[in-house]
Structures are given as structure tokens and as C-alpha cells.
Amino acid sequence: MILFENVTKKFGSSQALDEVSFEIKQGEFVFIVGPSGAGKSTLLRILTREIIPSSGKVFVDKIDLMKMKDKEVPNLRRKVGVVFQDFKLLDDRTVFEQVALALEVRGKKNDEIEKGVEHILKLVEIWDKRNLFPKQLSGGEAQRTAIARAVVGKPDILLADEPTGDLDPKTAWAVLQLLNEINSWGTTIVMATHNQEIVNTLKRRVITIKKGKVSSDTKEGKYDLS
Amino acid sequence: MTSTIDFTKRNIRRTPIQAIAASMVMFLTFFALIVFILLAAGSEQALKFFESKPQVIAFFKEGTTDQDVSVIENALKAETRVTKTKYISKEDALEIYREKNKNDPTLLELVTANILPASLEISTQTPQDLGPIAQILEKEPVVSEVIVPEDVVKTLTSITTVIRVVGGAVVLFLMIFAMLVILMIIGFKIRLKRSEIEIMRLLGASSSFIRQPFILEGMFYGLSGGILSWVIVYILLWYFTPFLQGYLGEVNLLPVDPLFMLTLLIWVIIIASLVGGLGSLGAVRRYLKI
């Protein structure tokens, strides 16, 4: 599903990623851990083709992202949902409209959008908040909205960049349970996190990145930066 | 497409001040354009009217007898360039005057047949024949004044040229100005919606999906301003038609042909969409790097 082959990314003189290689299979739940500035977010941004590696090869669903034309990028992004630490919700749209946006950009018809949004909002348990704006939501509700928006289009992969970073422990666990459930549908989940407790409890594959290099890649890994 | 239109409507609704400003600029531009087109078309029509009726009018001095007039008429009929002559006696002139001013009793009270001169209207084959015929008439001792529409045609031609040149320059300037205003407003909106655009990109929106609402928005401003100016001009024209008809006399310009106004509307729609669309396209190309 995802293949990194000797990927290097430089920003001027600083090296964000250095010869990174790994493979993630369909349906896996993978934690990317590492200290701040290790290159976790860079890695995720390469997967959405927001940035292009300086060298190496990246494949998503056997598609070479290095050779991908700009006009093909939207199709890639419809396969790869993204959730951010700061939610990236639009202030002037309701919960329903935020989620509907993901289907509107896919060119879905109005009745499909209404059914799809209703289904996903009920699934993430915020259907009763559908008419609220981001400022009226709690952190957990905002993150659920962001997750609903990322998965409503049924992407093959869900990238989550510190999705629990701004949440209290109880809400963070609730969000993680939701991600777990999404993973059970067959969606590959790649989650960058600093949350030691979550990583250690879930016992999923953990890729540790330090100074731009993969320092460990373990199947039922633990959060270990030593 | 429905989604693009929904996005466009939302964009317009959420920044009403800019929307009104953009539409007003377009309104002014197209108001000027339509007024200049009507003036140019009107003067063109008037010109055609005078060219299609080559006619010299000779006014006779007081005391000219019917015999004097007959001599001149017979001499003119011998000319191959003359197609028709028509004698207007003092009484006929009074009749015409009364007909023209039937709604103004004050003007009718002051005028009698005695103060109006008798005249002879001479039609020629072509407008080029008017000059030589006028020269013949001017030599007649009983003729006091000769009016040649050649002068009217010359004046009208220069007026039409001025309207075309000045109007064209003003309209061109206003169009460029309107296009720049649209570019500025759409550019401002693109900057305002930077985070929304960024999120849409991450959700997989295509470039055209992001760009189209902005281009449609510019076209909407063009269309709303253009159509509104057409409606206002048509209402004003309709309202002032009886007043203007009095000034135009025989020149049959008013009421304006509805078919002409409809054609004008179609052109306004095309040009307004183009101006608005090009302005917003410029903004999209300059400010929306996807």
C-alpha cells in the first residue's frame, strides 16, 4: 500500500529525512514516533504530495509519487484522508458543511452528500452537533468532525498527524478508539504521535524516526526514544 | 456544477460589501457603454435619414408671386438631377407649424401666415446633387435663403465620429478599470480564503473545482452590473421618449426598436461575462497558485 525507498528530503541545508525505507501493508495501523523535528510530519506530507522528496522513491497503491503529474494529485488525496492536531476546520462552516466539503470536492450529488454525511456523523457520534460551528465545539468534538471529514469519502489510507495532541487523556482515548474502529473497516492508518501511553497500550507497529532516519521498526512496538 | 454554483453563491453571500462594490463598478461601466452605443446608433440612424432624403429647401422673399415660383419650378424640372419639387405656401407653412405645436396654444396664438415664408422643397437623385442645385437657387433674386442638409450631414458625421472615438476611449478605459477592480476584489477574496483553499486541496479538490467559483463570481458581478444598467437605460429611454421625440422631429429614432434593445442585451451579457470572467481569471492566475 505504502512504500518508501531510500527517501531523503532536504530543506536547504537541513536534512528532514535521510534514506528512509519502509513498507506499510493495506489495513495496517502504524504509529510513527520520534522527538519533535525528527521528520514525522515531513513523512506524512510526502504521502499527500504536499512536498516532494529530494531523492528516493515513494509509492502509494503502486503509484510512484515522484512521477505523478500535478493534475493527478487530487486523485491521490481522495485516497489519503488527513487529520491534523489543530483540526483545520473552517470557522464559517457548520459541522455538517465541513464534512460535506469532502464529498463536494469529489463531485458527489446532493442526496449522496446528505446521506453520506449523516451516516458518518452518526458513526462518530456528533450527529446532534451537525449545525454547530467550530467555536461551539469541544476539542473532542472538533477532532471527531475532522476525522469524519477525512473518512467520509472512504479513503484507503488515513494519515493522522498528532490527532490527540490538543486533547485531554479521556478525549484522546475516545478519538483513538474511533481510529481503531476506522482501521477495522480495512482503512490503513498512519499516525504520528508523542502520546506514549496510547502507543504502549495499543501494541501496534511502531516506526521510530530520529534525526530523519528510521531507528527502529517493530511489529508490536513500544514508545521508546532512548 | 451544482456544487460550483453553491460555492459561488456562498462566496458572494459571505462578502456582501465587496459584491455590491464590484457590481456597482460594472454597472457604471456598462451604463456608459450602453449610453454611448445608443448615441452612436442614434446619430448613425439620423445620418442615414438625412442621406436618404437629399433635399434642398429654398425660402422665398416677401412679395414673391406664384408666377416667380412657377418659373423656378419649371427650370428645376428640366434638370435631370431633380426628382421632385414641392411648393409650400405661407398657408401650408402655417398648417405645418400648427400641427407641430398643437399642444402649445401660446405658440399658436403668436404666429400668423404672414410671418412664415413660402418655400420650395427640391429632392435630388443623390446627396451629391444638392450643392449644384443650391447654387442655382441662390442666384435667384426672389430666394432669401437656401438650406442644404449637406451641412447637417457634415455636422452629424463629425458628431458620430466624436461619439465613436470619445465613447470608445471612455468605455475602453472603464472596461480596463472594471477588470482591475474585479481582479482586486477576487484577489482579496482568494487571500481571505487561503485556509479554506488549503483544506480543499488536501481533501482532493481539483484545480478547476477551486478556481471555477472565483471565475463564476467575477462573471456574476459583470452580469449583474451589465443587466442592471441595461434595465435602467431602457426604463430611462422609455420614460423620456415622448420628450425626446419632440426634439427629433421627422427623424424616426424613437421609440427604440425592441429587437435592437434585445440584441444590445445579448451583447451586454456576452461582454459583461467576458470582462468579469477575465478579471477573475487574472486574479486566479496571479493569486491562486495550486
Side-chain angles (χ1 to χ4, degrees), chain A residues 8-29:
Chain A
T8 296
K9 177 64 190 174
K10 287 179 182 172
F11 292 106
S13 58
S14 87
Q15 190 144 358
L17 292 177
D18 185 9
E19 298 281 321
V20 170
S21 297
F22 61 81
E23 187 180 359
I24 296 172
K25 296 214 162 65
Q26 192 176 350
E28 271 194 279
F29 192 130

PDB file of all heavy atoms in Angstrom, chain A residues 8-29:
ATOM      1  N   THR A   8      14.980  10.691   0.876  1.00  0.00           N
ATOM      2  CA  THR A   8      15.711  11.781   1.527  1.00  0.00           C
ATOM      3  C   THR A   8      14.986  13.085   1.210  1.00  0.00           C
ATOM      4  O   THR A   8      14.528  13.281   0.079  1.00  0.00           O
ATOM      5  CB  THR A   8      17.157  11.843   0.991  1.00  0.00           C
ATOM      6  OG1 THR A   8      17.808  10.631   1.365  1.00  0.00           O
ATOM      7  CG2 THR A   8      17.927  13.023   1.565  1.00  0.00           C
ATOM      8  N   LYS A   9      14.839  13.923   2.233  1.00  0.00           N
ATOM      9  CA  LYS A   9      14.257  15.243   1.983  1.00  0.00           C
ATOM     10  C   LYS A   9      15.099  16.302   2.672  1.00  0.00           C
ATOM     11  O   LYS A   9      15.345  16.237   3.881  1.00  0.00           O
ATOM     12  CB  LYS A   9      12.813  15.295   2.512  1.00  0.00           C
ATOM     13  CG  LYS A   9      12.152  16.643   2.356  1.00  0.00           C
ATOM     14  CD  LYS A   9      11.982  17.055   0.891  1.00  0.00           C
ATOM     15  CE  LYS A   9      11.539  18.511   0.752  1.00  0.00           C
ATOM     16  NZ  LYS A   9      11.518  18.937  -0.647  1.00  0.00           N
ATOM     17  N   LYS A  10      15.551  17.255   1.862  1.00  0.00           N
ATOM     18  CA  LYS A  10      16.347  18.356   2.409  1.00  0.00           C
ATOM     19  C   LYS A  10      15.569  19.645   2.271  1.00  0.00           C
ATOM     20  O   LYS A  10      14.931  19.887   1.243  1.00  0.00           O
ATOM     21  CB  LYS A  10      17.665  18.486   1.635  1.00  0.00           C
ATOM     22  CG  LYS A  10      18.657  17.387   1.937  1.00  0.00           C
ATOM     23  CD  LYS A  10      19.905  17.585   1.099  1.00  0.00           C
ATOM     24  CE  LYS A  10      20.895  16.453   1.346  1.00  0.00           C
ATOM     25  NZ  LYS A  10      22.026  16.492   0.426  1.00  0.00           N
ATOM     26  N   PHE A  11      15.618  20.478   3.305  1.00  0.00           N
ATOM     27  CA  PHE A  11      15.089  21.841   3.221  1.00  0.00           C
ATOM     28  C   PHE A  11      16.301  22.759   3.329  1.00  0.00           C
ATOM     29  O   PHE A  11      16.794  23.002   4.433  1.00  0.00           O
ATOM     30  CB  PHE A  11      14.100  22.121   4.360  1.00  0.00           C
ATOM     31  CG  PHE A  11      12.818  21.330   4.267  1.00  0.00           C
ATOM     32  CD1 PHE A  11      12.582  20.261   5.119  1.00  0.00           C
ATOM     33  CD2 PHE A  11      11.855  21.645   3.315  1.00  0.00           C
ATOM     34  CE1 PHE A  11      11.406  19.535   5.041  1.00  0.00           C
ATOM     35  CE2 PHE A  11      10.673  20.920   3.234  1.00  0.00           C
ATOM     36  CZ  PHE A  11      10.452  19.857   4.093  1.00  0.00           C
ATOM     37  N   GLY A  12      16.798  23.211   2.224  1.00  0.00           N
ATOM     38  CA  GLY A  12      18.035  23.995   2.232  1.00  0.00           C
ATOM     39  C   GLY A  12      19.173  23.122   2.740  1.00  0.00           C
ATOM     40  O   GLY A  12      19.424  22.042   2.185  1.00  0.00           O
ATOM     41  N   SER A  13      19.798  23.580   3.799  1.00  0.00           N
ATOM     42  CA  SER A  13      20.928  22.795   4.295  1.00  0.00           C
ATOM     43  C   SER A  13      20.499  21.765   5.352  1.00  0.00           C
ATOM     44  O   SER A  13      21.259  20.873   5.713  1.00  0.00           O
ATOM     45  CB  SER A  13      21.981  23.735   4.893  1.00  0.00           C
ATOM     46  OG  SER A  13      21.372  24.487   5.930  1.00  0.00           O
ATOM     47  N   SER A  14      19.237  21.895   5.859  1.00  0.00           N
ATOM     48  CA  SER A  14      18.829  20.930   6.895  1.00  0.00           C
ATOM     49  C   SER A  14      18.177  19.699   6.263  1.00  0.00           C
ATOM     50  O   SER A  14      17.405  19.817   5.301  1.00  0.00           O
ATOM     51  CB  SER A  14      17.893  21.598   7.898  1.00  0.00           C
ATOM     52  OG  SER A  14      16.572  21.526   7.442  1.00  0.00           O
ATOM     53  N   GLN A  15      18.506  18.559   6.834  1.00  0.00           N
ATOM     54  CA  GLN A  15      18.012  17.294   6.278  1.00  0.00           C
ATOM     55  C   GLN A  15      16.861  16.783   7.149  1.00  0.00           C
ATOM     56  O   GLN A  15      17.054  16.393   8.297  1.00  0.00           O
ATOM     57  CB  GLN A  15      19.158  16.280   6.284  1.00  0.00           C
ATOM     58  CG  GLN A  15      18.804  15.040   5.511  1.00  0.00           C
ATOM     59  CD  GLN A  15      20.015  14.471   4.774  1.00  0.00           C
ATOM     60  OE1 GLN A  15      21.099  15.025   4.811  1.00  0.00           O
ATOM     61  NE2 GLN A  15      19.820  13.354   4.106  1.00  0.00           N
ATOM     62  N   ALA A  16      15.653  16.771   6.593  1.00  0.00           N
ATOM     63  CA  ALA A  16      14.481  16.327   7.364  1.00  0.00           C
ATOM     64  C   ALA A  16      14.369  14.801   7.368  1.00  0.00           C
ATOM     65  O   ALA A  16      14.036  14.209   8.385  1.00  0.00           O
ATOM     66  CB  ALA A  16      13.223  16.947   6.779  1.00  0.00           C
ATOM     67  N   LEU A  17      14.641  14.182   6.234  1.00  0.00           N
ATOM     68  CA  LEU A  17      14.614  12.714   6.137  1.00  0.00           C
ATOM     69  C   LEU A  17      15.898  12.234   5.460  1.00  0.00           C
ATOM     70  O   LEU A  17      16.370  12.864   4.512  1.00  0.00           O
ATOM     71  CB  LEU A  17      13.402  12.238   5.327  1.00  0.00           C
ATOM     72  CG  LEU A  17      12.003  12.447   5.934  1.00  0.00           C
ATOM     73  CD1 LEU A  17      10.926  11.972   4.958  1.00  0.00           C
ATOM     74  CD2 LEU A  17      11.841  11.738   7.263  1.00  0.00           C
ATOM     75  N   ASP A  18      16.413  11.128   5.951  1.00  0.00           N
ATOM     76  CA  ASP A  18      17.699  10.645   5.427  1.00  0.00           C
ATOM     77  C   ASP A  18      17.609   9.148   5.104  1.00  0.00           C
ATOM     78  O   ASP A  18      17.593   8.315   6.010  1.00  0.00           O
ATOM     79  CB  ASP A  18      18.781  10.914   6.492  1.00  0.00           C
ATOM     80  CG  ASP A  18      20.173  10.559   5.999  1.00  0.00           C
ATOM     81  OD1 ASP A  18      20.324  10.269   4.799  1.00  0.00           O
ATOM     82  OD2 ASP A  18      21.096  10.564   6.834  1.00  0.00           O
ATOM     83  N   GLU A  19      17.485   8.831   3.839  1.00  0.00           N
ATOM     84  CA  GLU A  19      17.464   7.434   3.360  1.00  0.00           C
ATOM     85  C   GLU A  19      16.422   6.588   4.120  1.00  0.00           C
ATOM     86  O   GLU A  19      16.728   5.511   4.634  1.00  0.00           O
ATOM     87  CB  GLU A  19      18.859   6.801   3.542  1.00  0.00           C
ATOM     88  CG  GLU A  19      19.964   7.474   2.747  1.00  0.00           C
ATOM     89  CD  GLU A  19      19.961   7.058   1.267  1.00  0.00           C
ATOM     90  OE1 GLU A  19      19.711   5.883   0.972  1.00  0.00           O
ATOM     91  OE2 GLU A  19      20.183   7.951   0.426  1.00  0.00           O
ATOM     92  N   VAL A  20      15.210   7.093   4.188  1.00  0.00           N
ATOM     93  CA  VAL A  20      14.143   6.376   4.919  1.00  0.00           C
ATOM     94  C   VAL A  20      13.510   5.315   4.017  1.00  0.00           C
ATOM     95  O   VAL A  20      13.133   5.603   2.886  1.00  0.00           O
ATOM     96  CB  VAL A  20      13.054   7.374   5.409  1.00  0.00           C
ATOM     97  CG1 VAL A  20      11.832   6.634   5.940  1.00  0.00           C
ATOM     98  CG2 VAL A  20      13.637   8.278   6.476  1.00  0.00           C
ATOM     99  N   SER A  21      13.427   4.083   4.551  1.00  0.00           N
ATOM    100  CA  SER A  21      12.785   2.991   3.795  1.00  0.00           C
ATOM    101  C   SER A  21      11.868   2.200   4.723  1.00  0.00           C
ATOM    102  O   SER A  21      12.251   1.880   5.838  1.00  0.00           O
ATOM    103  CB  SER A  21      13.843   2.032   3.220  1.00  0.00           C
ATOM    104  OG  SER A  21      14.665   2.707   2.309  1.00  0.00           O
ATOM    105  N   PHE A  22      10.682   1.930   4.262  1.00  0.00           N
ATOM    106  CA  PHE A  22       9.771   1.020   4.969  1.00  0.00           C
ATOM    107  C   PHE A  22       8.587   0.717   4.058  1.00  0.00           C
ATOM    108  O   PHE A  22       8.384   1.381   3.046  1.00  0.00           O
ATOM    109  CB  PHE A  22       9.285   1.614   6.307  1.00  0.00           C
ATOM    110  CG  PHE A  22       8.523   2.908   6.188  1.00  0.00           C
ATOM    111  CD1 PHE A  22       7.163   2.926   5.843  1.00  0.00           C
ATOM    112  CD2 PHE A  22       9.154   4.128   6.429  1.00  0.00           C
ATOM    113  CE1 PHE A  22       6.482   4.122   5.732  1.00  0.00           C
ATOM    114  CE2 PHE A  22       8.466   5.323   6.321  1.00  0.00           C
ATOM    115  CZ  PHE A  22       7.120   5.321   5.967  1.00  0.00           C
ATOM    116  N   GLU A  23       7.819  -0.292   4.452  1.00  0.00           N
ATOM    117  CA  GLU A  23       6.626  -0.629   3.679  1.00  0.00           C
ATOM    118  C   GLU A  23       5.458  -0.800   4.642  1.00  0.00           C
ATOM    119  O   GLU A  23       5.613  -1.376   5.721  1.00  0.00           O
ATOM    120  CB  GLU A  23       6.845  -1.934   2.897  1.00  0.00           C
ATOM    121  CG  GLU A  23       5.696  -2.208   1.955  1.00  0.00           C
ATOM    122  CD  GLU A  23       5.846  -3.478   1.138  1.00  0.00           C
ATOM    123  OE1 GLU A  23       6.878  -4.160   1.300  1.00  0.00           O
ATOM    124  OE2 GLU A  23       4.929  -3.788   0.372  1.00  0.00           O
ATOM    125  N   ILE A  24       4.305  -0.281   4.288  1.00  0.00           N
ATOM    126  CA  ILE A  24       3.103  -0.456   5.110  1.00  0.00           C
ATOM    127  C   ILE A  24       2.061  -1.167   4.260  1.00  0.00           C
ATOM    128  O   ILE A  24       1.773  -0.741   3.132  1.00  0.00           O
ATOM    129  CB  ILE A  24       2.569   0.914   5.607  1.00  0.00           C
ATOM    130  CG1 ILE A  24       3.598   1.589   6.540  1.00  0.00           C
ATOM    131  CG2 ILE A  24       1.231   0.750   6.321  1.00  0.00           C
ATOM    132  CD1 ILE A  24       3.258   3.023   6.931  1.00  0.00           C
ATOM    133  N   LYS A  25       1.536  -2.256   4.793  1.00  0.00           N
ATOM    134  CA  LYS A  25       0.557  -3.043   4.020  1.00  0.00           C
ATOM    135  C   LYS A  25      -0.854  -2.524   4.268  1.00  0.00           C
ATOM    136  O   LYS A  25      -1.118  -1.853   5.268  1.00  0.00           O
ATOM    137  CB  LYS A  25       0.666  -4.509   4.420  1.00  0.00           C
ATOM    138  CG  LYS A  25       2.024  -5.119   4.070  1.00  0.00           C
ATOM    139  CD  LYS A  25       1.867  -6.575   3.689  1.00  0.00           C
ATOM    140  CE  LYS A  25       3.068  -7.082   2.928  1.00  0.00           C
ATOM    141  NZ  LYS A  25       4.311  -7.098   3.713  1.00  0.00           N
ATOM    142  N   GLN A  26      -1.747  -2.908   3.344  1.00  0.00           N
ATOM    143  CA  GLN A  26      -3.137  -2.468   3.452  1.00  0.00           C
ATOM    144  C   GLN A  26      -3.767  -2.964   4.767  1.00  0.00           C
ATOM    145  O   GLN A  26      -3.575  -4.099   5.165  1.00  0.00           O
ATOM    146  CB  GLN A  26      -3.938  -3.006   2.271  1.00  0.00           C
ATOM    147  CG  GLN A  26      -5.294  -2.358   2.183  1.00  0.00           C
ATOM    148  CD  GLN A  26      -6.070  -2.799   0.955  1.00  0.00           C
ATOM    149  OE1 GLN A  26      -5.537  -3.451   0.067  1.00  0.00           O
ATOM    150  NE2 GLN A  26      -7.331  -2.456   0.919  1.00  0.00           N
ATOM    151  N   GLY A  27      -4.476  -2.077   5.443  1.00  0.00           N
ATOM    152  CA  GLY A  27      -5.180  -2.441   6.672  1.00  0.00           C
ATOM    153  C   GLY A  27      -4.343  -2.343   7.930  1.00  0.00           C
ATOM    154  O   GLY A  27      -4.851  -2.572   9.034  1.00  0.00           O
ATOM    155  N   GLU A  28      -3.066  -1.976   7.791  1.00  0.00           N
ATOM    156  CA  GLU A  28      -2.204  -1.853   8.987  1.00  0.00           C
ATOM    157  C   GLU A  28      -2.542  -0.583   9.776  1.00  0.00           C
ATOM    158  O   GLU A  28      -3.061   0.392   9.209  1.00  0.00           O
ATOM    159  CB  GLU A  28      -0.729  -1.777   8.565  1.00  0.00           C
ATOM    160  CG  GLU A  28      -0.057  -3.142   8.460  1.00  0.00           C
ATOM    161  CD  GLU A  28       1.462  -3.007   8.390  1.00  0.00           C
ATOM    162  OE1 GLU A  28       1.967  -2.724   7.283  1.00  0.00           O
ATOM    163  OE2 GLU A  28       2.123  -3.159   9.425  1.00  0.00           O
ATOM    164  N   PHE A  29      -2.207  -0.613  11.069  1.00  0.00           N
ATOM    165  CA  PHE A  29      -2.294   0.580  11.916  1.00  0.00           C
ATOM    166  C   PHE A  29      -0.866   0.831  12.401  1.00  0.00           C
ATOM    167  O   PHE A  29      -0.316   0.031  13.151  1.00  0.00           O
ATOM    168  CB  PHE A  29      -3.228   0.324  13.101  1.00  0.00           C
ATOM    169  CG  PHE A  29      -3.616   1.562  13.874  1.00  0.00           C
ATOM    170  CD1 PHE A  29      -4.945   1.823  14.159  1.00  0.00           C
ATOM    171  CD2 PHE A  29      -2.657   2.471  14.323  1.00  0.00           C
ATOM    172  CE1 PHE A  29      -5.313   2.965  14.873  1.00  0.00           C
ATOM    173  CE2 PHE A  29      -3.018   3.599  15.025  1.00  0.00           C
ATOM    174  CZ  PHE A  29      -4.351   3.855  15.296  1.00  0.00           C
TER     175      PHE A  29
END
